[in-house]
Amino acid sequence: MNDKEKIYYIRGTEELRMKNIRAHKLVREFNNSCIEDFTKREEIIKELFGSAGLSPSIEHNFHCDLGYNIHVGDHFYAGYNCTMLDMAEVRVGHNCMIGPNVGIYTAGHSIESKDRNKSGYAMPINIGNDVWIGGSCVILPGVTIGDNSIVAGNPAKTLRNI
């Protein structure tokens, strides 16, 4: 890990708490929306995320920390129970599919026990175009997945470029 890529943050600040509350309200609204109300669900995603391309589609039980650090391209799809811990940016290209129960985690913590729960660090995650991430994968801080890749496993590994 390169410390230059790390973004350090302090948990419990009023500013971070308010940003987290905003995201949680939008996530709750999204998860409680009618599944057939595609327009409303897309509007919520576009308000929650930093940016979203054409036709984003996310199944029920989505979760994130802040939302505004998530950027997805056109025709993004995420299966059930997707969690994105976006203390740093998560960038996903066009035509990407994410299977069920996938975790995308930019956040990490010190291995020292003293004050571990008071601060943390985050590193951006970049996922290219035309990527398929299989179910139950975990994408860890600082990972980049190139274009035209299939990724599976826990932790996730690139299986092949297509």
Side-chain angles (χ1 to χ4, degrees), residues 7 15 32 38 41 52 61 90-91 102-103 114 124 128 158-159:
I7 298 164
E15 179 185 13
N32 290 331
F38 303 110
R41 291 171 65 81
N61 204 27
V90 174
R91 292 203 168 268
V102 168
K114 187 177 191 282
T158 301
L159 295 182

Side-chain angles (χ1 to χ4, degrees), residues 90-93 96 98 104 125-129 131 133 139 144-145:
V90 174
R91 292 203 168 268
V92 181
C96 289
I98 295 177
I104 298 175
I125 292 174
N126 291 291
I127 300 169
N129 297 316
V131 172
I133 298 173
I139 313 296
T144 294
I145 299 169

Side-chain angles (χ1 to χ4, degrees), residues 47-121:
E47 183 177 351
L48 175 63
F49 286 7
S51 62
L54 299 172
S55 304
S57 178
I58 300 174
E59 300 292 353
H60 182 72
N61 204 27
F62 174 79
H63 296 280
C64 67
D65 283 326
L66 302 172
Y68 64 80
N69 279 330
I70 301 170
H71 303 273
V72 299
D74 296 342
H75 311 293
F76 170 77
Y77 172 82
Y80 298 102
N81 305 315
C82 181
T83 299
M84 294 187 187
L85 301 184
D86 65 313
M87 295 305 291
E89 283 193 348
V90 174
R91 292 203 168 268
V92 181
H94 301 302
N95 306 308
C96 289
M97 293 176 43
I98 295 177
N101 303 310
V102 168
I104 298 175
Y105 306 144
T106 67
H109 300 279
S110 171
I111 58 172
E112 301 297 324
S113 61
K114 187 177 191 282
D115 296 330
R116 181 183 304 151
N117 63 339
K118 294 181 181 175
S119 65
Y121 69 87

Side-chain angles (χ1 to χ4, degrees), residues 8-20:
Y8 292 92
Y9 60 91
I10 307 281
R11 296 176 58 101
T13 66
E14 184 65 18
E15 179 185 13
L16 189 56
R17 193 168 67 86
M18 296 310 294
K19 290 175 178 181
N20 190 249

